[in-house]
Amino acid sequence: MRLDRIQVTHYRNIPQALLEPKDQLTVLWGENGQGKTNLLESIWLLTGGKSFRGSKDQELILRGESFGVIEASFNAQGRDQQLRLTIGGKESPRPGRRAVLNGVDRGRAASVAGIFTAVVFCPEHLRLVKGSPEGRRKFLDVALCQLYPGYLATLRRYTRTMTQKNALLKQYEITPDAGNLLDVFNRSLAQWGEELTLRRMEYLDQLRMVAGANYRDLSGGRENLEIQYLPSFRPGKLYETMTGLRDRELGARCSLAGPHREDMEFILSGQPAKVYASQGQQRSAVLALKLGEAAMAAKVTGEHPVMLLDDVLSELDEGRQSYLLTRMEEKQTFVTTCDPSAFSRTQGALFLVEQGRIREA
Ligand SMILES: Nc1ncnc2c1ncn2[C@@H]1O[C@H](COP(=O)(O)OP(=O)(O)OP(=O)(O)O)[C@@H](O)[C@H]1O
Ligand SMILES: [Mg+2]
């Protein structure tokens, strides 16, 4: 995967910007609030995914304008491709995020998912270690959706049926034939739930090795990272588990077993990271995981995703910074920073971002 050119118009605080990155490292440097993360986010949107800051479409458009455009040329799947993304406000003639790929209107931006691939690290991701299980499940689901198109369809079916089952549990006493209906839901949920958990476990089996190796190198061999999946049922036994939980589910009025109740745990040198990890260790663990996610994608799709690293070096000691700087030069990587001095040791191209404008420094 290689981004050759991106032109951004009326996006966040960027009236207009053009970036023609090199094959390896591009450093976006500037003071706080100048538009570095905005630029990184515009590259991420080429993946067809949602904003990694969870923003609504309207918030992505330069205030006072009704339309934003991101146009990019990149090499993917062995050929040069062009993608034009438009972001329209509610009142505009083309509302929402829409995509034109190689001149063909593809409708919603999400339909181009899997064409331009990227892995993003931003400070919000630090919550992966100490935050709620939901964030960790989402990490796995997002990665798996990108790798296996069928995963998203199964996840949607599972989630929809789960909502129906929970509604039934809330009105169980007043629903005719509730027992049979619950059984129908459980059978479907068991089938899809087994599929989702199996995929997650298979993925994690490999990711754990790659991320573990990354963490060892990042910490100069001093610490190690283990990742464990915490399933809510034994393989092949989800239906039985749900049936066994029937009374408890009726008491709780919600479904108590299946992929939506599962989690993964990070263990740093034998201690649960959730409780004991320091700031730098949390950051290292998430970075090891993100680098692992990219390597896994490269293995499955044959193409290494573009790396987008927002404010990545802070809180890391000299040794960890050096290791990351080396890794950054291996694949096409975009980083943001307020302090370019660490990057002077690299071959990276330096761009200055100032009040939503960008120029080579
Ligand atoms: N829709 C919008 N229209 C205009 N300005 C916006 C819009 N959305 C965000 N901004 C502004 O963009 C500015 C730059 O944001 P950004 O997050 O890119 O800064 P940054 O350079 O990454 O700074 P930091 O170093 O603090 O992370 C913010 O001050 C924000 O108010
Ligand atoms: Mg920023």
Side-chain angles (χ1 to χ4, degrees), residues 33 35-38 53 310-311 336:
K36 304 181 296 293
T37 304
N38 292 345
R53 293 190 282 192
D310 192 18
D311 194 13
T336 68

Side-chain angles (χ1 to χ4, degrees), residues 3 6-9 11-20 26-29 34-46 52-53 70 308 310 334-336 351-354 356-359:
L3 179 63
I6 180 165
Q7 183 165 354
V8 177
T9 311
Y11 182 77
R12 296 255 196 208
N13 75 328
I14 307 168
Q16 172 104 54
L18 173 67
L19 180 64
E20 287 177 323
T26 298
V27 182
L28 304 170
W29 158 49
Q34 299 302 308
K36 304 181 296 293
T37 304
N38 292 345
L39 208 56
L40 212 64
E41 181 187 43
S42 72
I43 301 175
W44 169 256
L45 290 190
L46 299 171
F52 54 77
R53 293 190 282 192
I70 305 168
L308 307 172
D310 192 18
F334 296 81
V335 282
T336 68
F351 292 87
L352 182 66
V353 183
E354 215 169 22
R357 298 189 189 271
I358 179 167
R359 64 181 158 84

Side-chain angles (χ1 to χ4, degrees), residues 281-336:
Q281 285 172 326
Q282 281 177 68
R283 185 172 283 259
S284 305
V286 175
L287 280 165
L289 202 68
K290 290 281 170 177
L291 292 168
E293 180 190 351
M296 289 283 293
K299 209 163 136 186
V300 176
T301 67
E303 214 160 23
H304 199 283
V306 166
M307 301 300 294
L308 307 172
L309 308 176
D310 192 18
D311 194 13
V312 71
L313 293 184
S314 39
E315 296 170 335
L316 294 181
D317 61 37
E318 183 81 22
R320 293 183 194 219
Q321 290 198 4
S322 291
Y323 170 77
L324 276 178
L325 289 167
T326 312
R327 290 291 304 262
M328 283 177 200
E329 291 199 285
E330 291 167 4
K331 304 285 186 258
Q332 196 182 36
T333 302
F334 296 81
V335 282
T336 68

Side-chain angles (χ1 to χ4, degrees), residues 118-132:
V119 165
V120 64
F121 166 86
C122 67
E124 284 83 349
H125 290 143
L126 295 173
R127 277 202 297 264
L128 264 174
V129 178
K130 295 205 173 183
S132 67

Side-chain angles (χ1 to χ4, degrees), residues 1 26 64 88-89 104 132-133 151 214 252 255 266 273 275 294 298 305 316 319 321:
M1 185 66 47
T26 298
V104 180
S132 67
Y151 189 89
N214 287 338
S255 182
F266 300 105
V275 189
L316 294 181
Q321 290 198 4

Side-chain angles (χ1 to χ4, degrees), residues 31-196:
E31 293 177 355
N32 295 136
Q34 299 302 308
K36 304 181 296 293
T37 304
N38 292 345
L39 208 56
L40 212 64
E41 181 187 43
S42 72
I43 301 175
W44 169 256
L45 290 190
L46 299 171
T47 63
K50 295 187 179 128
S51 153
F52 54 77
R53 293 190 282 192
S55 311
K56 300 195 183 84
D57 288 346
Q58 187 65 50
E59 295 161 12
L60 304 179
I61 306 165
L62 180 67
R63 269 192 293 278
E65 298 292 337
S66 59
F67 219 70
V69 184
I70 305 168
E71 277 181 292
S73 307
F74 54 87
N75 189 284
Q77 287 138 12
R79 65 192 186 103
D80 291 329
Q81 311 209 40
Q82 273 83 40
L83 180 59
R84 181 182 156 90
L85 278 187
T86 53
I87 310 156
K90 282 203 186 72
E91 315 297 319
S92 84
R94 211 171 139 80
R97 278 191 299 129
R98 322 275 304 177
V100 176
L101 181 67
N102 304 319
V104 180
D105 192 342
R106 298 283 295 259
R108 290 158 53 90
S111 69
V112 297
I115 308 278
F116 180 86
T117 56
V119 165
V120 64
F121 166 86
C122 67
E124 284 83 349
H125 290 143
L126 295 173
R127 277 202 297 264
L128 264 174
V129 178
K130 295 205 173 183
S132 67
E134 202 181 344
R136 289 182 287 276
R137 287 194 293 265
K138 195 166 166 204
F139 166 80
L140 289 173
D141 289 341
V142 169
L144 284 162
C145 283
Q146 284 198 37
L147 294 184
Y148 306 103
Y151 189 89
L152 177 61
T154 308
L155 185 63
R156 282 198 176 135
R157 282 193 203 112
Y158 180 84
T159 311
R160 208 179 312 125
T161 310
M162 175 68 55
T163 311
Q164 290 171 332
K165 176 179 165 182
N166 288 344
L168 172 67
L169 289 170
K170 287 192 178 64
Q171 311 196 337
Y172 197 81
E173 290 75 16
I174 55 165
T175 307
D177 210 17
N180 273 331
L181 199 53
L182 183 63
D183 193 57
V184 170
F185 286 149
N186 280 349
R187 283 187 191 279
S188 299
L189 286 170
Q191 187 197 329
W192 298 321
E194 297 262 5
E195 209 177 303
L196 296 172

